[in-house]
Amino acid sequence: MKLTKFTDPLPIPLVLKPKWKSSGYTYYEVKMKEGKQSLHSQMPHTTIWGYEGRYPGPTIEVEMGETVYVKWMNALPEKHLFAIDHTVHGAEKDKPDVRTVVHLHGGRTEPESDGYPDAWFTKGYGKTGPFFAKEIYEYGNRQRARTLWYHDHAIGITRLNIYAGLAGFYIIRDSHERSLNLPGGKFEIPLLIQDRSFNEDGSFFYPEKSKKDTSGITPSIISSFFGDTIVVNGKVWPFLEVEPRKYRFRLLNGANARFFHLFFDSGQPFFQIGTDSGFLEQPFSVHSLLLAPAERADVIVDFSNMSGKSILMKNDARTHFPIGDPVDPETTGMVMQFRVTKPLSSIDTSVIPAFMGTIHRLPESTARKQRYLQLSEEKDRFGRPLFLLDQKKWDDPIREMPQIGTNEIWCFVNTNGDDHPIHVHLVQFQILDRQPFDVVHFKKTGRIRYTGLRLLPDSGEHGWKDTVKCPPGHITRIIIPFFPFAGPYVWHCHMLEHEDYEMMRPYWILPPN
Ligand code: C2O
Ligand code: CU
């Protein structure tokens, strides 16, 4: 299908209204429903699954420290939108096809409310998974201002549920953020960037197997999904009319597997002020931003001297990062368009702050343990590629059991050709460094021989993070403080096809001695 680019305006997800709000807490209800939405005016409507029937879901906005309860409800049809591979762990034939569970990505959430992959539930909580604990989730929001997102996390079908549309923004605000005088209100816009493919009738296309698959299984899980169309906030290649002034954009890569390396054709910079987990110490002016699946960047873009201009946000990250094909400049190489066509409605008094606050670096000496965790590619029993963490599968016994209140260094030893974005639930961490090593030697002997110097994290990675890019042939080290809850959590690659097929592990935070 040939769709004209930049014909539809960018939608901005509505902010969800609570069902109840008192001085003590706020209560929301969110129903997952099937809906029909126009994703492009030249295309028939698309059947989506969305929170409140919307793709993306409504934005939830809270204040730091506000106690929030959300009743997540499944009101989806009995039949899945996509074919389910029952050979995948947790998605066996005896499991209900339409299972959901909601994870608040980046949230400091108690285990019962974290959306453990086996805590799934079906329509009306008719059936529930073995870790299901409660219907109403509690979020303490004891975190400073930042951009989180909520999305599905059901074991074995997360890739399909998120692809169907189950994702939305969750924003924590605080007084420090307000004191910074950033562009706000209609000048602060969240951008959920994803790729999709479509059938002629406008429905989402998700492959039933990969071209190289000789397993004889149908449907058969693919090793990573790449669409041929870019969708921002649920519209294909949208445009946004802006005023000649500063805007704040909260960028979120919500793709299944695609990395985005974003830049403007005008050559103008992004002033990056924040990461996955709140503000950087100081803004960085960068001409491009690399975002792996689940990573966020908080940026200010200044359109003030651009009146009358049209500016393209483009992407040149290779499909299958970093070793895949160059992106097609005519399709996935384009993200969206900004048109500086609106008159200035008022003088822009917002600022790009010079300093947002000190971030104390965690010294390595505070770590009680250093773990080496391999990211590897193997073959499954059907000859399909299979990605593992620490050469373990989801069902293998738990190995990572940090004690609450301690710091650990986790070293991701990537022996495979993909860059895997690793996400650890509950915690925020700091990136220490990345260092190239001899993969062949490591595979033969299990010993690490470094082949180059330690690389410090990029400027935009100097803040707190919850997802870290682990490039091939490198050891990526992060330091993690484990608190404030004990209990079962998970860590995983955020390429959704990897996460669904064994590149996810449980971990357990142990209570104090
Ligand atoms: Cu964004 Cu475990 O997920
Ligand atoms: Cu991966």
Side-chain angles (χ1 to χ4, degrees):
M1 202 176 327
K2 190 108 176 68
L3 299 169
T4 314
K5 294 179 189 73
F6 323 124
T7 49
D8 295 279
L10 174 84
I12 296 170
L14 293 175
V15 175
L16 186 66
K17 290 210 178 62
K19 276 253 160 348
W20 170 258
K21 191 174 175 106
S22 71
S23 56
Y25 66 93
T26 314
Y27 173 68
Y28 293 92
E29 284 182 356
V30 180
K31 249 194 201 123
M32 295 167 234
K33 286 186 287 198
E34 185 169 286
K36 286 220 171 256
Q37 239 170 267
S38 170
L39 305 198
H40 191 286
S41 47
Q42 294 161 343
M43 186 167 70
H45 282 46
T46 305
T47 302
I48 58 95
W49 285 7
Y51 296 102
E52 293 293 282
R54 303 288 307 156
Y55 160 56
T59 300
I60 298 180
E61 287 203 10
V62 307
E63 187 69 15
M64 176 172 94
E66 179 181 353
T67 302
V68 168
Y69 294 95
V70 185
K71 183 169 186 180
W72 300 103
M73 290 177 283
N74 176 335
L76 294 166
E78 308 275 288
K79 198 175 158 350
H80 209 288
L81 273 188
F82 305 109
I84 291 170
D85 178 352
H86 295 291
T87 66
V88 168
H89 68 66
E92 297 81 10
K93 281 221 177 64
D94 60 337
K95 304 285 190 320
D97 277 0
V98 180
R99 290 169 279 123
T100 56
V101 63
V102 186
H103 171 57
L104 176 58
H105 182 121
R108 197 174 279 164
T109 310
E110 54 158 10
E112 300 78 13
S113 301
D114 192 51
Y116 197 82
D118 272 323
W120 48 263
F121 50 93
T122 61
K123 189 173 192 165
Y125 309 100
K127 289 193 181 131
T128 55
F131 275 70
F132 178 84
K134 49 162 98 165
E135 293 178 5
I136 300 176
Y137 278 11
E138 178 177 340
Y139 304 105
N141 300 303
R142 279 182 279 276
Q143 292 171 282
R144 300 178 77 172
R146 67 195 58 199
T147 310
L148 310 181
W149 61 305
Y150 62 94
H151 62 73
D152 189 76
H153 219 301
I155 186 89
I157 52 169
T158 296
R159 68 193 183 289
L160 306 174
N161 287 354
I162 295 182
Y163 192 76
L166 290 170
F169 282 97
Y170 185 110
I171 292 172
I172 303 181
R173 300 187 180 280
D174 66 15
S175 53
H176 169 248
E177 174 185 34
R178 280 187 288 273
S179 77
L180 293 174
N181 190 20
L182 302 168
K186 58 182 175 176
F187 308 115
E188 179 202 324
I189 296 173
L191 299 175
L192 167 64
I193 307 173
Q194 299 174 305
D195 58 343
R196 292 288 183 270
S197 291
F198 296 95
N199 298 307
E200 285 298 318
D201 65 358
S203 57
F204 284 133
F205 169 79
Y206 188 90
E208 291 211 347
K209 55 165 53 188
S210 78
K211 289 191 195 83
K212 286 181 248 150
D213 192 319
T214 54
S215 66
I217 298 164
T218 314
S220 180
I221 189 166
I222 58 173
S223 64
S224 26
F225 170 83
F226 298 104
D228 57 12
T229 306
I230 301 298
V231 181
V232 186
N233 291 353
K235 277 287 180 197
V236 171
W237 289 304
F239 69 86
L240 177 69
E241 287 191 287
V242 296
E243 298 182 14
R245 54 160 291 148
K246 294 190 276 309
Y247 279 74
R248 177 182 182 190
F249 297 109
R250 298 171 187 263
L251 306 173
L252 160 60
N253 180 348
N256 280 38
R258 184 179 291 280
F259 282 54
F260 290 103
H261 186 236
L262 302 169
F263 62 97
F264 293 110
D265 68 346
S266 56
Q268 68 191 104
F270 299 89
F271 296 93
Q272 188 179 357
I273 55 171
T275 62
D276 304 337
S277 312
F279 292 113
L280 292 161
E281 281 199 326
Q282 61 196 73
F284 286 101
S285 157
V286 287
H287 283 92
S288 61
L289 277 173
L290 179 63
L291 289 181
E295 282 191 306
R296 285 88 76 208
D298 197 342
V299 301
I300 295 175
V301 179
D302 193 353
F303 297 111
S304 12
N305 291 317
M306 306 296 284
S307 269
K309 300 236 164 59
S310 281
I311 298 151
L312 277 182
M313 187 195 274
K314 298 176 118 185
N315 159 48
D316 65 0
R318 282 174 182 265
T319 300
H320 216 145
F321 194 80
I323 39 160
D325 299 326
V327 79
D328 173 5
E330 290 307 310
T331 59
T332 45
M334 291 198 215
V335 177
M336 66 175 288
Q337 185 190 51
F338 297 89
R339 297 181 189 156
V340 195
T341 45
K342 284 188 166 177
L344 194 61
S345 57
S346 58
I347 296 170
D348 180 9
T349 53
S350 68
V351 297
I352 300 169
F355 185 69
M356 280 86 72
T358 308
I359 294 174
H360 295 285
R361 303 295 305 172
L362 294 179
E364 283 185 41
S365 57
T366 61
R368 180 181 289 189
K369 230 190 170 95
Q370 173 146 279
R371 300 176 192 269
Y372 285 85
L373 301 159
Q374 195 183 343
L375 317 180
S376 63
E377 179 176 355
E378 326 266 334
K379 289 263 181 278
D380 74 0
R381 62 190 202 278
F382 309 106
R384 300 177 296 187
L386 175 72
F387 298 93
L388 297 181
L389 299 172
D390 194 27
Q391 301 196 291
K392 303 285 179 300
K393 293 190 171 176
W394 168 249
D395 287 317
D396 286 328
I398 297 179
R399 308 253 300 193
E400 290 75 56
M401 287 187 275
Q403 194 167 47
I404 192 165
T406 65
N407 298 349
E408 293 194 359
I409 294 174
W410 288 18
C411 313
F412 303 114
V413 183
N414 188 354
T415 59
N416 150 257
D418 288 351
D419 188 328
H420 300 274
I422 298 293
H423 170 48
V424 188
H425 282 212
L426 178 71
V427 296
Q428 280 74 46
F429 49 75
Q430 292 176 354
I431 303 174
L432 293 171
D433 46 43
R434 300 183 174 94
Q435 194 168 10
F437 70 105
D438 185 338
V439 173
V440 175
H441 181 74
F442 179 82
K443 282 187 176 166
K444 232 187 283 163
T445 65
R447 287 209 198 91
I448 293 163
R449 188 153 79 197
Y450 290 104
T451 55
L453 297 175
R454 287 192 172 164
L455 308 165
L456 292 178
D458 287 346
S459 50
E461 295 180 321
H462 270 288
W464 291 94
K465 295 275 295 167
D466 61 39
T467 305
V468 59
K469 293 179 275 271
C470 297
H474 286 69
I475 297 182
T476 301
R477 299 195 313 141
I478 61 173
I479 183 162
I480 322 173
F482 288 94
F483 76 99
F485 300 109
Y489 290 96
V490 299
W491 64 285
H492 59 88
C493 175
H494 219 289
M495 286 166 82
L496 303 179
E497 286 74 21
H498 295 185
E499 162 177 357
D500 269 347
Y501 199 36
E502 302 293 357
M503 206 171 197
M504 177 162 73
R505 288 283 294 154
Y507 84 94
W508 201 290
I509 302 184
L510 300 176
N513 274 339

